[in-house]
Amino acid sequence: MTDTLTKIPRSTPVTTEDAQRVVDQICADDELAWQVAAELDRDPRRLLAKLFALTPARQAAVQRIKLERARSTFSLVARALREGDRVIVRVNEVADVATAFKCSISASMEMSLTGGSTVTVEAVISR
């Protein structure tokens, strides 16, 4: 991973506003967007830990996502970063009575008739 990625602010906890701010900074820099897209192709789980100061429980939850599943989910985001499309982030925290931390991440793409697309990433995490 390049030194450029170390310049991105990190945040704990991961909130919609903080995650969107980081994504907006990435999208504003074409070179950085391509670097992040390459990292998403390699191992999105590692990139999430790099971009966001995840707690140990959240890091463990992200690492439990199978690598191929994570790559598949974030392939839309990588494509959007390379093509300059809009990326929207939503983080929903839910209370969970179980002791294990849980994480669910999904991505969807909406195509515009006038060209371009918007990719929405939604993460649901338990506290």
Side-chain angles (χ1 to χ4, degrees):
M1 203 170 300
T2 68
D3 290 337
T4 310
L5 294 181
T6 62
K7 297 176 185 174
I8 297 173
R10 295 170 51 135
S11 62
T12 299
V14 179
T15 65
T16 294
E17 294 78 19
D18 288 337
Q20 189 67 56
R21 179 177 39 81
V22 170
V23 169
D24 289 346
Q25 286 181 334
I26 292 167
C27 291
D29 181 332
D30 289 339
E31 181 181 347
L32 182 58
W34 275 80
Q35 291 171 358
V36 169
E39 290 301 319
L40 287 172
D41 291 340
R42 278 191 277 284
D43 190 347
R45 303 167 307 171
R46 191 176 91 181
L47 181 65
L48 290 174
K50 178 84 172 168
L51 294 177
F52 304 104
L54 302 175
T55 63
R58 288 183 176 178
Q59 285 183 16
V62 168
Q63 288 303 314
R64 283 194 293 272
I65 300 171
K66 292 183 179 182
L67 181 57
E68 287 309 311
R69 172 78 173 199
R71 284 179 178 150
S72 173
T73 299
F74 282 97
S75 66
L76 288 174
V77 178
R79 179 177 159 204
L81 290 173
R82 287 185 179 103
E83 295 182 7
D85 291 333
R86 187 168 180 217
V87 179
I88 298 172
V89 181
R90 290 188 194 112
V91 178
N92 301 311
E93 282 199 72
V94 295
D96 194 332
V97 293
T99 57
F101 180 82
K102 297 178 184 176
C103 177
S104 168
I105 301 172
S106 63
S108 62
M109 182 173 65
E110 181 179 311
M111 298 294 293
S112 169
L113 294 176
T114 59
S117 62
T118 299
V119 172
T120 302
V121 179
E122 185 157 1
V124 178
I125 54 179
S126 63
R127 293 184 236 157

